Amino acid sequence: MKSVARQRLRVVVLGGGYAGTMAALRLAPYARVTLVDPGDRFTERVRLHELAAGRPEVDHSRAAMLRGTGIEHLAARATALDPGARAVHTDCGRTLLYDRLVYALGSHTDLGGTGPAGAGDRAPWERAFTAESAAALHKRLRDGPGALAVVGGGLTGIEMAAEIAEAHPGWQVRLLTGGEIGGGLSARGRAHVRTVLGRLQVRVEEGRRIAGGDAVDADAVLWTGAMAAAGGLARDAGLDTDPATGRILVDAALRSASHPDIYAAGDAAAARTPRAGALRMSCATALPTGSQVAGAIIAESRGTEPRPLSYGFFVQCVSLGRHDGLIQSVRGDDTPRERVLTGRPAARVKEQVVRNAVRVLRLAARRPDVIPLIPGIG
């Protein structure tokens, strides 16, 4: 490490979502950073339900976000990792050598072996969409009214059903879930969700386990089941991953358990803390884990041991259309308290939380030294 520390570290960051962008921005003053992401826009993934309902755009210019930082953005996809050679191969033909690698490729909707056309080797469904195809879903909603079935009663399904029902009252919206709607919410939180969905004429069907999109009688199906980490590259390269989730196994500083020159952040990391336990996949954990890996690499470059990740949950924020919402107070381990905020005040709080995520990234571009001082992120 000493020979590397005398030089400017070469850091390759895979993935330009919340975690990867945060890691790259914090590292920029201390390393030669290459950010590998095929898109020239940064997408606010937590607004995809708004995009499906008709918001014009939920993304930002990546060039503007990185301007003046010295970060090289390579608009490509990583196709293979070679940990022995410390190299990343890309689909544009470039091979990137690194001293440290940040793996932040995020997650995608878990289709359980079958899914919409274009989902790799999965068998196609007809009429099916996911959050990742929100723009295509909006086009379908504009084409004419019909029946939409939202499969999945978690927060993504709730937000999608409420947003679409409010924006497209001509559509008949159902929400189908194998368990209870909003299983991670308190009784008061679930009661408010039911009230709002009822007001928006969303029919909730609990105890409905759906094998696949073609098993649903609807003109369009929106699948919002569990999330799966984009861990295929890591697994194929020999990194230790969780067999159940595909997330990279990491230590307390978010170093790969098997390859300590590789760090994982965001949904790709099987991160946990004493206070929170296993971190769920979310924007709320992406920003702090992205900041954590940057801080750990900076510490290593200075010859000091990285500090462990310290994190605890505080609230869950749920949009229920443009004029209502739910702010669910939770304990540090993400279990719900009975205290909730609802209605327009909750909608305003949720909007500010979403805006603040982008504000923090923009602050990281201008003043990366300030990020470690922000509670809950640094």
Side-chain angles (χ1 to χ4, degrees):
M1 186 65 207
K2 290 183 179 179
S3 62
V4 174
R6 287 195 295 267
Q7 307 172 32
R8 195 167 169 81
L9 281 174
R10 298 168 300 176
V11 179
V12 174
V13 179
L14 302 183
Y18 293 99
T21 301
M22 172 58 80
L25 291 171
R26 268 207 68 192
L27 282 165
Y30 308 95
R32 291 165 47 199
V33 179
T34 302
L35 176 64
V36 182
D37 189 284
D40 62 359
R41 309 284 293 178
F42 169 83
T43 298
E44 292 187 75
R45 189 170 177 178
V46 293
R47 290 194 188 274
L48 289 179
H49 58 286
E50 299 177 41
L51 183 64
R55 187 183 178 97
E57 59 183 33
V58 295
D59 52 25
H60 307 268
S61 165
R62 195 179 300 281
M65 189 170 283
L66 301 181
R67 186 174 297 126
T69 64
I71 296 169
E72 178 192 4
H73 170 223
L74 179 61
R77 296 182 187 277
T79 56
L81 307 182
D82 184 346
R86 289 186 174 181
V88 176
H89 302 286
T90 68
D91 62 0
C92 69
R94 281 186 61 182
T95 296
L96 305 173
L97 302 180
Y98 63 83
D99 299 306
R100 294 293 180 267
L101 175 71
V102 177
Y103 193 109
L105 290 175
S107 62
H108 55 268
T109 303
D110 186 359
L111 299 166
T114 60
D121 58 358
R122 301 181 178 97
W125 295 339
E126 298 294 333
R127 309 164 285 117
F129 302 87
T130 66
E132 292 87 348
S133 58
L137 172 59
H138 177 57
K139 181 180 182 304
R140 174 64 186 91
L141 294 173
R142 291 201 321 268
D143 286 344
L148 170 69
V150 180
V151 180
L155 302 189
T156 300
I158 291 169
E159 290 191 325
M160 282 286 190
E163 199 82 30
I164 291 170
E166 180 182 81
H168 297 273
W171 278 79
Q172 299 173 3
V173 181
R174 289 185 294 157
L175 192 155
L176 317 177
T177 177
E180 187 176 33
I181 190 172
L185 302 174
S186 66
R188 290 181 63 191
R190 279 194 300 275
H192 184 68
V193 167
R194 292 179 192 277
T195 297
V196 175
L197 291 180
R199 185 173 69 239
L200 294 172
Q201 299 185 4
V202 175
R203 193 171 84 201
V204 177
E205 300 179 19
E206 297 172 300
R208 287 287 308 275
R209 297 198 175 277
I210 307 299
D214 284 341
V216 182
D217 181 16
D219 297 301
V221 178
L222 174 57
W223 194 267
T224 67
M227 304 301 292
L233 276 179
R235 184 185 60 250
D236 293 346
L239 276 68
D240 288 348
T241 58
D242 184 325
T245 65
R247 304 174 92 177
I248 297 172
L249 298 179
V250 293
D251 67 10
L254 302 190
R255 287 176 294 211
S256 163
S258 57
H259 296 74
D261 52 351
I262 297 176
Y263 284 79
D267 292 356
R272 59 185 306 115
T273 68
R275 184 180 176 201
L279 302 192
R280 62 178 162 87
M281 299 181 184
S282 66
C283 173
T285 58
L287 289 175
T289 55
S291 178
Q292 163 68 29
V293 300
I297 292 171
I298 293 167
E300 274 197 307
S301 72
R302 294 171 174 170
T304 61
E305 181 64 19
R307 62 173 177 80
L309 174 67
S310 176
Y311 183 82
F313 291 97
F314 179 61
V315 294
Q316 294 182 19
C317 303
V318 189
S319 291
L320 297 171
R322 293 296 82 208
H323 309 291
D324 208 323
L326 170 67
I327 306 301
Q328 171 69 68
S329 176
V330 299
R331 300 177 182 85
D333 64 356
D334 210 27
T335 56
R337 302 178 186 273
E338 280 304 308
R339 187 168 62 250
V340 298
L341 179 68
T342 61
R344 286 182 180 271
R348 288 194 289 268
V349 171
K350 170 65 187 284
E351 177 63 22
Q352 288 306 310
V353 168
V354 172
R355 290 186 183 189
N356 280 341
V358 175
R359 289 177 181 140
V360 168
L361 290 174
R362 288 177 172 156
L363 177 62
R366 300 191 311 271
R367 291 290 307 277
D369 56 309
V370 173
I371 299 303
L373 305 178
I374 302 176
I377 294 179

